Amino acid sequence: MKQVKVAFLFFVLFSFLSCEKQDDKLENDSKQKSLAKEFFKSADYKKSSNAKRLENSKIFISDNKLNSTDKYLMYNNISYLSSKLNKIDSAIFYSKKMLRLPSVENDINLKGKVYYKLGIYQYKKNAQDSSYFFYAKSKNEFLKLKDSVSVGKSLSNLAIIESNFGSYSLSDSLAVESLKFFNGKEPKTMASSLNCLAINAKKRSFYNEAIAYYISALKITTRKSSKIRFRNNLAIAHKELKNYKKSILIFEELLQDTITSQKTKTRVIDNLAYVKWLENSDVNVLKELLFANSKKLQLKDNYGLIANYSHLSDYFQEKNRKKSLQYAIEMYKISRKVKSIQDVLEAIDKIVERQPPEKAITYYKESINLRDSLQEAETKRQFRFAKIKYNYDEEEKLKEKFRNLAIENELKVEKENSQKKNSIIIGILLISGLLFLLYRRKQLHKKRVLQESYNTETRIAKRLHDELGNDVFNTLVKVQNPKINTLEIIDDLDKIYHQTRSISHENNAIKTGDKFESYFRHLVASYNTNDCKIIIKGLSDIHLNNLAAEKQIVVYRIFNELFVNMKKHSKASLVMLTFTKKNSRIEMIYFDNGIGFEKENIVHKNGLKNMETRIKTINGTINFENKPGKGLKVSIHFKS
């Protein structure tokens, strides 16, 4: 009856809440015909090149009075075309103009998209600190919308930027977080996040982890170009681990695949030849290395040439020192041309190694200057990046402060108009919920108590019948027989007494807390007899009183079960209990010199199964070592 009343009360409340009025707001812009859409549909626009489209779009804006929605469409189009034509500054300019439009300011989704575009354009401009700023802002807008895929894409780009700045641990955190938001819906960006994790691992020389991430990325990416890039990187990671055969196999499989990019194919040929030489320096791979060199010169692939000259320099180091030096110098020239300082330093190291000190001194001095300037530039770059992040955080805090103030003012006005109604609804909900929870808790408790009582009664009844019933009957028969010796009857009665005490110990409430150790010693003493001595070692060292109550109960029950088994079956005359504690792990060992079990494999009867079940409840382990005729050893381990 109570449940019916509660259900009826909830029905009335939800019916009342669902009847609240909703105001329909219509935008004036939506009523007007879109001039921008008509412009995009025109034949002249569709037939034009991107450069002509960009020019006509700017003219169209200046010649027409557009509403906010059409301005957004035009600015978005101009920024896109500018980016396609590599006019990144123009793309950024028009994207920022979008942010000032009312249609964008009042639309979280559009604002998030514009911030994301700005992140892309700033990254293309190599202004990674500014790119980070806009990606972070886009993430916050998409979080408000609960657009998990867009949040994941923003996080993935933030992870890449953090990786570029050398913050590998933070980059890992962002990349892993991005994967949680995708839920398998964006394989392209998921693969990008996994690739970022692989790069972070490789940069820290965690090549096995890098390999695992590349394999994961390969499983989900659908783009052929990405697959080729990931497999190439995977082969290089195997090379770093000196798994040359695996690396060679991957490069050879890549060459068998259809690689449309001549630049990529040439790099694979170059890498394959170099790894073959690393595996066996006697293998002649000069033809392949020189072929790759000529192709890269033809394609003007400067970065590919840097790697190729490095490979050729290494190849000739033992064969022809003069040629080795020549290729190192070529590597140095190309590296300076493309302003790749790290490659310049690597080339200088090769030159210095292959020349006498008096000739290498000029390069050596340049190396020192470059390393100093590189360190200074990196420090400035890190400082600028940190400042951008700090400014972003401060801006977000300030916005949050004003946002909270606005919300507080709105709540105050709302509170004056509807405080009474809200108080009544909240009060009824709280009382109804509380009554329901109390009723539910009471029913569950009653059910649990009944079940526990039934289980206990069943267990006691079974033991009384199986263990005591027959013994009592046999003793009564002996009492009625005058020929039976009185001492034999006394022994039977003593056995019945111990069985009864064992059942009592097993089902009595256990005293837990700061006096548990004393209680446990009392249990041990109750089984310590002239026929079977029990020796305790190290009990005080493990501080039983400090264990949680549930662990104290499990310890007591297990040892009681062991003592009962010892008393009934083992015929032991000596029991040794050893207790030790190492760090936070407790070890308890029970050993008796009884007969053990009849078979080598322990038969897990009810008592032994109970011990295993109980130790598992506290995430512990129990191990039985049975030596028939020599005794039983039981090892117990759990965390204190």
Side-chain angles (χ1 to χ4, degrees), residues 92-125:
I92 292 170
F93 174 78
Y94 281 97
S95 295
K96 287 183 176 179
K97 290 192 75 166
M98 278 191 273
L99 288 174
R100 295 191 286 271
L101 294 172
S103 57
V104 175
E105 287 180 342
N106 300 322
D107 190 319
I108 296 172
N109 183 39
L110 290 181
K111 196 186 295 184
K113 288 180 177 178
V114 174
Y115 283 141
Y116 191 85
K117 285 168 72 75
L118 280 164
I120 294 172
Y121 298 150
Q122 294 286 3
Y123 193 88
K124 284 184 176 181
K125 194 182 173 184

Side-chain angles (χ1 to χ4, degrees), residues 151-193:
V151 172
K153 289 170 75 173
S154 297
L155 285 168
S156 180
N157 284 292
L158 289 171
I160 291 168
I161 295 171
E162 288 285 7
S163 176
N164 293 342
F165 277 97
S167 303
Y168 301 124
S169 296
L170 187 53
S171 175
D172 284 345
S173 300
L174 290 167
V176 170
E177 189 180 356
S178 74
L179 292 171
K180 294 176 183 176
F181 278 93
F182 290 128
N183 295 321
K185 295 178 184 176
E186 188 72 19
K188 177 183 172 183
T189 317
M190 282 178 69
S192 179
S193 292

Side-chain angles (χ1 to χ4, degrees), residues 267-326:
R267 289 186 178 188
V268 172
I269 292 169
D270 188 19
N271 288 332
L272 174 59
Y274 184 62
V275 176
K276 282 181 177 179
W277 176 77
L278 286 174
E279 184 189 30
N280 183 359
S281 59
D282 294 329
V283 173
N284 187 1
V285 293
L286 182 59
K287 182 180 177 181
E288 290 89 341
L289 290 173
L290 291 175
F291 171 78
N293 181 263
S294 64
K295 289 293 290 185
K296 287 178 180 182
L297 284 168
Q298 182 184 337
L299 295 167
K300 296 180 181 179
D301 179 10
N302 288 325
Y303 284 100
L305 279 168
I306 291 170
N308 179 255
Y309 284 133
S310 174
H311 296 164
L312 283 164
S313 180
D314 290 345
Y315 176 81
F316 280 111
Q317 185 174 5
E318 299 298 331
K319 294 178 172 64
N320 189 326
R321 298 280 289 184
K322 187 177 179 180
K323 281 191 175 182
S324 178
L325 175 61
Q326 179 187 339

Side-chain angles (χ1 to χ4, degrees), residues 404-579:
N404 289 338
L405 285 172
I407 292 170
E408 284 177 16
N409 290 332
E410 288 178 13
L411 287 174
K412 285 178 182 177
V413 174
E414 245 182 76
K415 190 176 180 181
E416 291 173 2
N417 297 330
S418 60
Q419 189 173 21
K420 188 176 180 180
K421 183 181 77 172
N422 289 341
S423 299
I424 293 171
I425 292 171
I426 292 169
I428 293 172
L429 283 171
L430 286 172
I431 293 168
S432 302
L434 185 60
L435 289 171
F436 179 77
L437 287 172
L438 289 171
Y439 172 78
R440 180 70 176 161
R441 185 176 178 183
K442 186 177 179 181
Q443 292 299 314
L444 289 172
H445 178 69
K446 188 187 292 185
K447 184 178 179 181
R448 189 165 57 250
V449 169
L450 287 171
Q451 185 63 41
E452 288 177 359
S453 299
Y454 173 76
N455 291 341
T456 302
E457 289 169 3
T458 303
R459 188 171 63 252
I460 293 171
K462 189 175 185 305
R463 291 198 65 183
L464 288 172
H465 177 270
D466 294 348
E467 297 180 17
L468 289 179
N470 291 335
D471 290 345
V472 171
F473 178 77
N474 291 334
T475 304
L476 288 172
V477 171
K478 288 180 180 180
V479 168
Q480 293 171 2
N481 188 347
K483 296 180 180 180
I484 300 299
N485 192 326
T486 305
L487 291 174
E488 186 179 339
I489 294 172
I490 291 171
D491 287 340
D492 289 346
L493 289 172
D494 182 61
K495 180 182 176 184
I496 291 169
Y497 164 73
H498 282 293
Q499 287 177 328
T500 306
R501 189 174 67 171
S502 172
I503 294 171
S504 173
H505 271 302
E506 189 170 334
N507 295 284
N508 277 349
I510 296 171
K511 294 178 184 178
T512 58
D514 58 2
K515 293 183 180 179
F516 175 71
E517 184 176 328
S518 175
Y519 187 66
F520 182 77
R521 287 182 183 275
H522 180 71
L523 169 68
V524 176
S526 68
Y527 285 95
N528 194 3
T529 65
N530 291 330
D531 294 331
C532 183
K533 292 293 182 182
I534 301 177
I535 299 172
I536 303 175
K537 182 181 178 182
L539 181 61
S540 300
D541 297 339
I542 65 172
H543 306 295
L544 281 179
N545 292 337
N546 295 335
L547 292 179
E550 63 269 18
K551 292 182 180 179
Q552 290 178 343
I553 292 169
V554 168
V555 169
Y556 187 90
R557 293 290 189 208
I558 287 176
F559 275 93
N560 186 63
E561 198 80 52
L562 287 169
F563 292 146
V564 169
N565 179 72
M566 175 270 293
K567 197 74 176 178
K568 288 171 62 178
H569 305 296
S570 74
K571 298 180 183 180
S573 61
L574 180 65
V575 175
M576 174 69 78
L577 305 180
T578 307
F579 303 88

Side-chain angles (χ1 to χ4, degrees), residues 3 7 9 19 30 81 89 114 145 167 218 241 245 262 286 294 301 310 326 345 403 410 419 423 473 511 592 619:
Q3 287 175 312
L9 183 58
C19 292
S30 64
L81 291 171
D89 287 333
V114 174
L145 285 173
S167 303
L218 280 166
L241 286 173
K245 283 185 170 56
Q262 286 299 310
L286 182 59
S294 64
D301 179 10
S310 174
Q326 179 187 339
L345 290 170
R403 199 179 295 123
E410 288 178 13
Q419 189 173 21
S423 299
F473 178 77
K511 294 178 184 178
D592 69 39
N619 296 320

Side-chain angles (χ1 to χ4, degrees), residues 8 48 152 161 167 216 238 240 301 347 364 377 394 406 450 522 527 594:
F8 177 75
S48 301
I161 295 171
S167 303
S216 297
H238 278 296
E240 296 296 338
D301 179 10
Y364 183 71
E394 290 300 307
L450 287 171
H522 180 71
Y527 285 95

